[in-house]
Amino acid sequence: MAKLWAGVTAGETDPLADDFNSSIRFDSRMFRQDIRGSMAHAAMLAARHIITGDERDALTGGLAGILEDLESGALAIDTGCEDIHMFVEQELTARIGETGKKLHTARSRNDQVALDLRLYLREECAEIGGLLDRLTGVLTDVAEQHTESIMPGYTHLQRAQPVSFGHYLMAYAMMLLRDRERLHDALGRMNVSPIGCCALAGTTYDTDRAMEARLLGFADVARNSMDGVSDRDFCLELMGAFSILMMHLSRLSEELILWASWEFRFIELSDAYTTGSSIMPQKRNADMAELVRGKTGRVYGDLMGLLTTLKGLPLAYNKDMQEDKERVFDACDTVKLCLRIMAPMLAGMTVRTDNMLRAAQTGFINATDLADYLVRKGLPFRSAYQLAGRLVARCMEDGQVLESLPLSVYRSYSPLFGEDLYQEIDLKTCMEKRISEGGTSSASVKKQIAWVRAVLEHD
Ligand code: ARG
């Protein structure tokens, strides 16, 4: 079939080249945005008397029909077309005749594709933002049930100080709130209209770019036409935000995998989100969490792939840029899948507070509190630290924990020790006394929960 772009190029292209050149396999998912953009374009052309009102109505009616038929399945996308833009234009002309050929006045596929992609990703951002908030909500709800569930907090994966499971989960809620902000920031810069930049240099027609931008809900127009058609920063920024988000989900997944292991047994994942082994009947594998961790690499790859594609491109549009879509679509699809699976997996897990507490009872995670006790009795911190260290070593020798070491032994190290010591090194006291802003006390964690909920609700 003759190409819509057959101008000076009269010769036939090789079918292999057509196939290589084509993007319809992956850009047809933007058909709604393409049609919406074309409707706005027709409206602007008529408003500036570049086409007549009747022509606008014919174009808009034809486009609406195509949209309806694509939605209902009555019309199938012709994968023989080079891309979605060509398909829609070809179908329109087939339906309404010569007027269809006027749609592409004062427009190029270069600004058209940049427009479609921004429209498409804007919608994805809204959907992903909703899924992200849902996951943050689940974390917050589970945290609320565990503001008093004591577990060991770790540094270097060594037991460090007691924290509540609620506090632990709220750390992830904070990360997700920052991801939400990053998404929002990326959306702000994405919400700029490239349509009207045309091929690269603008157009000789008296167009109204601001009107098209307004019709399509953009906050602004791209201020330089060469930049407008060749800017893909919005894809990179989005994938940058996604990469950080996936890194967070991957860290959380790693925790879930560890916690679900027999070594920790802090949680049990529900049957709905675990798999068995084909050979070992006892197995319950955290495959979903492992896949989230694994798919993180995939999203990083999408970002690196597009960064690499763009790095050597001279202005303005180059066909290399067609490679943007598969990357950014894959990143969106992957992020959505992961957010969708994480929320119910977390909501449905069983939290084994008994095992968490048992782990907290060994490892001397109240040693800092022992030192702080001595500080309150007047000893300088460094000396108190050394003395607490010696007592921990003594416990290790005797097979004791700090709570079970007799007062007489304590007093043989320092006369500052009294009966009140045991209350001070009780794990619950250790946790509840950490009342500093952002600390692990239940009062502080409740404040964190309230703050996160307020952010989720108010903007
Ligand atoms: N399918 C193309 C893409 O995705 C559309 C733009 C084509 N422009 C061009 N001058 N060949 O980038």
Side-chain angles (χ1 to χ4, degrees), residues 8-45:
V8 72
T9 51
E12 285 288 300
T13 45
D14 188 299
L16 197 62
D18 284 344
D19 194 44
F20 188 67
N21 198 36
S22 157
S23 56
I24 198 150
R25 257 182 313 110
F26 47 85
D27 66 18
S28 56
R29 66 157 88 187
M30 302 191 300
F31 73 85
R32 292 184 190 85
Q33 292 75 18
D34 195 74
I35 290 172
R36 190 175 166 206
S38 288
M39 285 177 167
H41 191 62
M44 185 280 291
L45 291 177

mmCIF file of all heavy atoms in Angstrom, residues 8-45:
data_model
loop_
_atom_site.group_PDB
_atom_site.id
_atom_site.type_symbol
_atom_site.label_atom_id
_atom_site.label_comp_id
_atom_site.label_asym_id
_atom_site.label_seq_id
_atom_site.Cartn_x
_atom_site.Cartn_y
_atom_site.Cartn_z
ATOM 1 N N VAL A 8 8.789 12.372 -1.835
ATOM 2 C CA VAL A 8 9.859 12.219 -2.808
ATOM 3 C C VAL A 8 10.264 10.753 -2.939
ATOM 4 O O VAL A 8 10.798 10.325 -3.955
ATOM 5 C CB VAL A 8 11.050 13.129 -2.419
ATOM 6 C CG1 VAL A 8 11.781 12.600 -1.204
ATOM 7 C CG2 VAL A 8 12.013 13.299 -3.591
ATOM 8 N N THR A 9 9.951 9.981 -1.883
ATOM 9 C CA THR A 9 10.336 8.569 -1.909
ATOM 10 C C THR A 9 9.312 7.773 -2.690
ATOM 11 O O THR A 9 8.264 7.412 -2.163
ATOM 12 C CB THR A 9 10.424 7.999 -0.476
ATOM 13 O OG1 THR A 9 9.200 8.324 0.181
ATOM 14 C CG2 THR A 9 11.591 8.566 0.294
ATOM 15 N N ALA A 10 9.595 7.540 -3.936
ATOM 16 C CA ALA A 10 8.637 6.847 -4.796
ATOM 17 C C ALA A 10 8.804 5.336 -4.744
ATOM 18 O O ALA A 10 7.853 4.588 -4.911
ATOM 19 C CB ALA A 10 8.783 7.342 -6.221
ATOM 20 N N GLY A 11 10.010 4.901 -4.494
ATOM 21 C CA GLY A 11 10.284 3.463 -4.517
ATOM 22 C C GLY A 11 9.614 2.730 -3.376
ATOM 23 O O GLY A 11 9.238 3.329 -2.368
ATOM 24 N N GLU A 12 9.416 1.450 -3.563
ATOM 25 C CA GLU A 12 8.795 0.619 -2.524
ATOM 26 C C GLU A 12 9.815 0.262 -1.440
ATOM 27 O O GLU A 12 10.971 -0.018 -1.746
ATOM 28 C CB GLU A 12 8.288 -0.682 -3.152
ATOM 29 C CG GLU A 12 7.029 -0.523 -3.961
ATOM 30 C CD GLU A 12 5.804 -0.283 -3.096
ATOM 31 O OE1 GLU A 12 5.477 -1.143 -2.255
ATOM 32 O OE2 GLU A 12 5.179 0.783 -3.246
ATOM 33 N N THR A 13 9.375 0.256 -0.185
ATOM 34 C CA THR A 13 10.286 -0.205 0.866
ATOM 35 C C THR A 13 10.192 -1.731 0.968
ATOM 36 O O THR A 13 9.164 -2.320 0.637
ATOM 37 C CB THR A 13 9.913 0.401 2.234
ATOM 38 O OG1 THR A 13 8.504 0.298 2.390
ATOM 39 C CG2 THR A 13 10.362 1.834 2.343
ATOM 40 N N ASP A 14 11.245 -2.311 1.429
ATOM 41 C CA ASP A 14 11.294 -3.753 1.655
ATOM 42 C C ASP A 14 10.346 -4.099 2.807
ATOM 43 O O ASP A 14 10.315 -3.390 3.806
ATOM 44 C CB ASP A 14 12.732 -4.110 2.019
ATOM 45 C CG ASP A 14 12.946 -5.603 2.092
ATOM 46 O OD1 ASP A 14 12.285 -6.262 2.933
ATOM 47 O OD2 ASP A 14 13.777 -6.093 1.327
ATOM 48 N N PRO A 15 9.567 -5.175 2.704
ATOM 49 C CA PRO A 15 8.664 -5.559 3.810
ATOM 50 C C PRO A 15 9.414 -5.727 5.133
ATOM 51 O O PRO A 15 8.880 -5.414 6.205
ATOM 52 C CB PRO A 15 8.079 -6.901 3.355
ATOM 53 C CG PRO A 15 8.250 -6.933 1.886
ATOM 54 C CD PRO A 15 9.424 -6.069 1.545
ATOM 55 N N LEU A 16 10.636 -6.195 5.034
ATOM 56 C CA LEU A 16 11.437 -6.353 6.248
ATOM 57 C C LEU A 16 11.706 -4.994 6.888
ATOM 58 O O LEU A 16 11.637 -4.834 8.115
ATOM 59 C CB LEU A 16 12.762 -7.036 5.868
ATOM 60 C CG LEU A 16 13.571 -7.649 6.995
ATOM 61 C CD1 LEU A 16 12.800 -8.761 7.680
ATOM 62 C CD2 LEU A 16 14.897 -8.189 6.421
ATOM 63 N N ALA A 17 11.956 -4.009 6.041
ATOM 64 C CA ALA A 17 12.203 -2.645 6.528
ATOM 65 C C ALA A 17 10.917 -2.061 7.109
ATOM 66 O O ALA A 17 10.934 -1.392 8.153
ATOM 67 C CB ALA A 17 12.740 -1.767 5.410
ATOM 68 N N ASP A 18 9.785 -2.330 6.451
ATOM 69 C CA ASP A 18 8.496 -1.850 6.970
ATOM 70 C C ASP A 18 8.270 -2.382 8.377
ATOM 71 O O ASP A 18 7.872 -1.649 9.282
ATOM 72 C CB ASP A 18 7.340 -2.348 6.088
ATOM 73 C CG ASP A 18 7.259 -1.567 4.784
ATOM 74 O OD1 ASP A 18 7.866 -0.485 4.702
ATOM 75 O OD2 ASP A 18 6.582 -2.067 3.860
ATOM 76 N N ASP A 19 8.528 -3.662 8.505
ATOM 77 C CA ASP A 19 8.318 -4.303 9.790
ATOM 78 C C ASP A 19 9.258 -3.726 10.860
ATOM 79 O O ASP A 19 8.857 -3.446 11.981
ATOM 80 C CB ASP A 19 8.548 -5.808 9.615
ATOM 81 C CG ASP A 19 8.024 -6.579 10.799
ATOM 82 O OD1 ASP A 19 6.902 -6.248 11.234
ATOM 83 O OD2 ASP A 19 8.735 -7.468 11.297
ATOM 84 N N PHE A 20 10.484 -3.526 10.451
ATOM 85 C CA PHE A 20 11.501 -2.988 11.356
ATOM 86 C C PHE A 20 11.141 -1.577 11.815
ATOM 87 O O PHE A 20 11.330 -1.191 12.966
ATOM 88 C CB PHE A 20 12.843 -2.981 10.618
ATOM 89 C CG PHE A 20 14.028 -2.643 11.474
ATOM 90 C CD1 PHE A 20 14.459 -3.494 12.481
ATOM 91 C CD2 PHE A 20 14.736 -1.460 11.264
ATOM 92 C CE1 PHE A 20 15.554 -3.182 13.268
ATOM 93 C CE2 PHE A 20 15.838 -1.142 12.045
ATOM 94 C CZ PHE A 20 16.247 -2.016 13.058
ATOM 95 N N ASN A 21 10.589 -0.825 10.883
ATOM 96 C CA ASN A 21 10.285 0.588 11.097
ATOM 97 C C ASN A 21 9.011 0.807 11.912
ATOM 98 O O ASN A 21 8.836 1.843 12.545
ATOM 99 C CB ASN A 21 10.098 1.226 9.703
ATOM 100 C CG ASN A 21 10.204 2.730 9.722
ATOM 101 O OD1 ASN A 21 10.992 3.277 10.476
ATOM 102 N ND2 ASN A 21 9.406 3.379 8.899
ATOM 103 N N SER A 22 8.163 -0.208 11.892
ATOM 104 C CA SER A 22 6.825 -0.043 12.446
ATOM 105 C C SER A 22 6.804 -0.033 13.976
ATOM 106 O O SER A 22 7.564 -0.741 14.627
ATOM 107 C CB SER A 22 5.963 -1.199 11.927
ATOM 108 O OG SER A 22 4.881 -1.408 12.775
ATOM 109 N N SER A 23 5.898 0.768 14.520
ATOM 110 C CA SER A 23 5.761 0.814 15.987
ATOM 111 C C SER A 23 4.338 0.486 16.424
ATOM 112 O O SER A 23 4.001 0.581 17.596
ATOM 113 C CB SER A 23 6.165 2.202 16.504
ATOM 114 O OG SER A 23 5.408 3.207 15.863
ATOM 115 N N ILE A 24 3.500 0.088 15.477
ATOM 116 C CA ILE A 24 2.080 -0.074 15.818
ATOM 117 C C ILE A 24 1.833 -1.190 16.841
ATOM 118 O O ILE A 24 0.886 -1.122 17.613
ATOM 119 C CB ILE A 24 1.204 -0.250 14.540
ATOM 120 C CG1 ILE A 24 -0.262 0.025 14.902
ATOM 121 C CG2 ILE A 24 1.411 -1.620 13.896
ATOM 122 C CD1 ILE A 24 -1.081 0.574 13.783
ATOM 123 N N ARG A 25 2.718 -2.158 16.843
ATOM 124 C CA ARG A 25 2.602 -3.243 17.831
ATOM 125 C C ARG A 25 2.517 -2.691 19.259
ATOM 126 O O ARG A 25 1.817 -3.205 20.096
ATOM 127 C CB ARG A 25 3.864 -4.119 17.781
ATOM 128 C CG ARG A 25 3.767 -5.420 17.081
ATOM 129 C CD ARG A 25 5.077 -6.188 17.161
ATOM 130 N NE ARG A 25 6.258 -5.391 16.850
ATOM 131 C CZ ARG A 25 7.173 -5.020 17.746
ATOM 132 N NH1 ARG A 25 7.061 -5.372 19.006
ATOM 133 N NH2 ARG A 25 8.225 -4.315 17.371
ATOM 134 N N PHE A 26 3.297 -1.643 19.517
ATOM 135 C CA PHE A 26 3.293 -1.129 20.888
ATOM 136 C C PHE A 26 2.672 0.261 21.043
ATOM 137 O O PHE A 26 2.272 0.624 22.130
ATOM 138 C CB PHE A 26 4.703 -1.155 21.502
ATOM 139 C CG PHE A 26 5.791 -0.599 20.618
ATOM 140 C CD1 PHE A 26 6.055 0.753 20.587
ATOM 141 C CD2 PHE A 26 6.537 -1.455 19.825
ATOM 142 C CE1 PHE A 26 7.057 1.264 19.782
ATOM 143 C CE2 PHE A 26 7.557 -0.942 19.007
ATOM 144 C CZ PHE A 26 7.820 0.406 18.983
ATOM 145 N N ASP A 27 2.572 1.042 19.958
ATOM 146 C CA ASP A 27 1.987 2.374 20.197
ATOM 147 C C ASP A 27 0.472 2.406 20.020
ATOM 148 O O ASP A 27 -0.171 3.408 20.319
ATOM 149 C CB ASP A 27 2.695 3.482 19.396
ATOM 150 C CG ASP A 27 2.529 3.361 17.890
ATOM 151 O OD1 ASP A 27 1.614 2.661 17.435
ATOM 152 O OD2 ASP A 27 3.349 3.988 17.171
ATOM 153 N N SER A 28 -0.113 1.270 19.598
ATOM 154 C CA SER A 28 -1.571 1.276 19.419
ATOM 155 C C SER A 28 -2.286 1.428 20.762
ATOM 156 O O SER A 28 -3.451 1.797 20.798
ATOM 157 C CB SER A 28 -2.029 0.001 18.714
ATOM 158 O OG SER A 28 -1.607 -1.124 19.429
ATOM 159 N N ARG A 29 -1.566 1.191 21.848
ATOM 160 C CA ARG A 29 -2.237 1.385 23.143
ATOM 161 C C ARG A 29 -2.540 2.859 23.409
ATOM 162 O O ARG A 29 -3.257 3.188 24.346
ATOM 163 C CB ARG A 29 -1.439 0.760 24.288
ATOM 164 C CG ARG A 29 -0.101 1.379 24.576
ATOM 165 C CD ARG A 29 0.325 1.078 26.003
ATOM 166 N NE ARG A 29 1.052 -0.168 26.163
ATOM 167 C CZ ARG A 29 1.392 -0.660 27.351
ATOM 168 N NH1 ARG A 29 1.038 -0.024 28.466
ATOM 169 N NH2 ARG A 29 2.073 -1.772 27.449
ATOM 170 N N MET A 30 -1.994 3.752 22.556
ATOM 171 C CA MET A 30 -2.278 5.182 22.756
ATOM 172 C C MET A 30 -3.417 5.672 21.858
ATOM 173 O O MET A 30 -3.544 6.865 21.619
ATOM 174 C CB MET A 30 -1.026 6.016 22.454
ATOM 175 C CG MET A 30 0.194 5.655 23.294
ATOM 176 S SD MET A 30 1.546 6.866 23.145
ATOM 177 C CE MET A 30 1.890 6.789 21.383
ATOM 178 N N PHE A 31 -4.272 4.745 21.364
ATOM 179 C CA PHE A 31 -5.269 5.189 20.380
ATOM 180 C C PHE A 31 -6.219 6.244 20.948
ATOM 181 O O PHE A 31 -6.601 7.187 20.267
ATOM 182 C CB PHE A 31 -6.022 3.989 19.773
ATOM 183 C CG PHE A 31 -7.018 3.305 20.667
ATOM 184 C CD1 PHE A 31 -8.312 3.780 20.768
ATOM 185 C CD2 PHE A 31 -6.666 2.178 21.393
ATOM 186 C CE1 PHE A 31 -9.252 3.142 21.583
ATOM 187 C CE2 PHE A 31 -7.592 1.537 22.210
ATOM 188 C CZ PHE A 31 -8.885 2.023 22.317
ATOM 189 N N ARG A 32 -6.573 6.098 22.233
ATOM 190 C CA ARG A 32 -7.502 7.085 22.817
ATOM 191 C C ARG A 32 -6.876 8.478 22.838
ATOM 192 O O ARG A 32 -7.509 9.473 22.502
ATOM 193 C CB ARG A 32 -7.869 6.703 24.254
ATOM 194 C CG ARG A 32 -8.714 5.452 24.343
ATOM 195 C CD ARG A 32 -9.134 5.155 25.770
ATOM 196 N NE ARG A 32 -9.724 3.834 25.816
ATOM 197 C CZ ARG A 32 -9.027 2.702 25.956
ATOM 198 N NH1 ARG A 32 -7.729 2.738 26.088
ATOM 199 N NH2 ARG A 32 -9.651 1.537 25.965
ATOM 200 N N GLN A 33 -5.620 8.512 23.263
ATOM 201 C CA GLN A 33 -4.921 9.800 23.363
ATOM 202 C C GLN A 33 -4.721 10.397 21.971
ATOM 203 O O GLN A 33 -4.836 11.613 21.788
ATOM 204 C CB GLN A 33 -3.563 9.601 24.049
ATOM 205 C CG GLN A 33 -3.649 9.229 25.526
ATOM 206 C CD GLN A 33 -4.066 7.787 25.772
ATOM 207 O OE1 GLN A 33 -3.986 6.939 24.894
ATOM 208 N NE2 GLN A 33 -4.536 7.514 26.981
ATOM 209 N N ASP A 34 -4.433 9.531 21.002
ATOM 210 C CA ASP A 34 -4.215 10.017 19.643
ATOM 211 C C ASP A 34 -5.482 10.677 19.104
ATOM 212 O O ASP A 34 -5.444 11.763 18.522
ATOM 213 C CB ASP A 34 -3.778 8.856 18.736
ATOM 214 C CG ASP A 34 -3.203 9.361 17.434
ATOM 215 O OD1 ASP A 34 -2.063 9.865 17.446
ATOM 216 O OD2 ASP A 34 -3.912 9.301 16.407
ATOM 217 N N ILE A 35 -6.604 10.018 19.358
ATOM 218 C CA ILE A 35 -7.884 10.543 18.861
ATOM 219 C C ILE A 35 -8.272 11.816 19.617
ATOM 220 O O ILE A 35 -8.709 12.803 19.017
ATOM 221 C CB ILE A 35 -8.977 9.445 18.956
ATOM 222 C CG1 ILE A 35 -8.656 8.355 17.910
ATOM 223 C CG2 ILE A 35 -10.367 10.033 18.751
ATOM 224 C CD1 ILE A 35 -9.520 7.113 17.995
ATOM 225 N N ARG A 36 -8.041 11.802 20.905
ATOM 226 C CA ARG A 36 -8.362 12.992 21.700
ATOM 227 C C ARG A 36 -7.539 14.198 21.219
ATOM 228 O O ARG A 36 -8.055 15.312 21.068
ATOM 229 C CB ARG A 36 -8.052 12.691 23.174
ATOM 230 C CG ARG A 36 -8.555 13.752 24.073
ATOM 231 C CD ARG A 36 -8.374 13.441 25.537
ATOM 232 N NE ARG A 36 -8.590 14.677 26.261
ATOM 233 C CZ ARG A 36 -8.074 14.954 27.439
ATOM 234 N NH1 ARG A 36 -7.321 14.072 28.053
ATOM 235 N NH2 ARG A 36 -8.311 16.113 28.022
ATOM 236 N N GLY A 37 -6.270 13.961 20.963
ATOM 237 C CA GLY A 37 -5.389 15.021 20.473
ATOM 238 C C GLY A 37 -5.856 15.544 19.122
ATOM 239 O O GLY A 37 -5.869 16.753 18.871
ATOM 240 N N SER A 38 -6.280 14.613 18.269
ATOM 241 C CA SER A 38 -6.734 15.021 16.932
ATOM 242 C C SER A 38 -8.023 15.829 16.997
ATOM 243 O O SER A 38 -8.231 16.761 16.209
ATOM 244 C CB SER A 38 -6.932 13.783 16.054
ATOM 245 O OG SER A 38 -5.672 13.254 15.718
ATOM 246 N N MET A 39 -8.882 15.488 17.936
ATOM 247 C CA MET A 39 -10.132 16.254 18.082
ATOM 248 C C MET A 39 -9.812 17.697 18.495
ATOM 249 O O MET A 39 -10.401 18.650 17.975
ATOM 250 C CB MET A 39 -11.045 15.598 19.122
ATOM 251 C CG MET A 39 -11.728 14.337 18.601
ATOM 252 S SD MET A 39 -12.698 13.590 19.934
ATOM 253 C CE MET A 39 -13.672 12.421 18.996
ATOM 254 N N ALA A 40 -8.881 17.834 19.431
ATOM 255 C CA ALA A 40 -8.491 19.178 19.883
ATOM 256 C C ALA A 40 -7.848 19.941 18.721
ATOM 257 O O ALA A 40 -8.081 21.142 18.542
ATOM 258 C CB ALA A 40 -7.520 19.075 21.056
ATOM 259 N N HIS A 41 -7.072 19.207 17.931
ATOM 260 C CA HIS A 41 -6.402 19.848 16.802
ATOM 261 C C HIS A 41 -7.432 20.360 15.791
ATOM 262 O O HIS A 41 -7.340 21.499 15.314
ATOM 263 C CB HIS A 41 -5.435 18.853 16.149
ATOM 264 C CG HIS A 41 -4.522 19.482 15.155
ATOM 265 N ND1 HIS A 41 -3.603 20.458 15.506
ATOM 266 C CD2 HIS A 41 -4.388 19.297 13.812
ATOM 267 C CE1 HIS A 41 -2.946 20.843 14.423
ATOM 268 N NE2 HIS A 41 -3.401 20.158 13.381
ATOM 269 N N ALA A 42 -8.420 19.529 15.494
ATOM 270 C CA ALA A 42 -9.475 19.937 14.551
ATOM 271 C C ALA A 42 -10.214 21.160 15.083
ATOM 272 O O ALA A 42 -10.511 22.104 14.326
ATOM 273 C CB ALA A 42 -10.449 18.773 14.326
ATOM 274 N N ALA A 43 -10.474 21.172 16.381
ATOM 275 C CA ALA A 43 -11.187 22.312 16.988
ATOM 276 C C ALA A 43 -10.364 23.589 16.833
ATOM 277 O O ALA A 43 -10.893 24.654 16.486
ATOM 278 C CB ALA A 43 -11.467 22.032 18.463
ATOM 279 N N MET A 44 -9.064 23.479 17.050
ATOM 280 C CA MET A 44 -8.195 24.652 16.938
ATOM 281 C C MET A 44 -8.114 25.126 15.481
ATOM 282 O O MET A 44 -8.208 26.332 15.203
ATOM 283 C CB MET A 44 -6.803 24.303 17.483
ATOM 284 C CG MET A 44 -5.826 25.459 17.534
ATOM 285 S SD MET A 44 -5.052 25.830 15.954
ATOM 286 C CE MET A 44 -4.000 24.399 15.726
ATOM 287 N N LEU A 45 -7.979 24.164 14.557
ATOM 288 C CA LEU A 45 -7.887 24.545 13.132
ATOM 289 C C LEU A 45 -9.129 25.325 12.702
ATOM 290 O O LEU A 45 -9.035 26.317 11.964
ATOM 291 C CB LEU A 45 -7.714 23.294 12.253
ATOM 292 C CG LEU A 45 -6.387 22.536 12.361
ATOM 293 C CD1 LEU A 45 -6.423 21.282 11.478
ATOM 294 C CD2 LEU A 45 -5.192 23.409 11.978
#
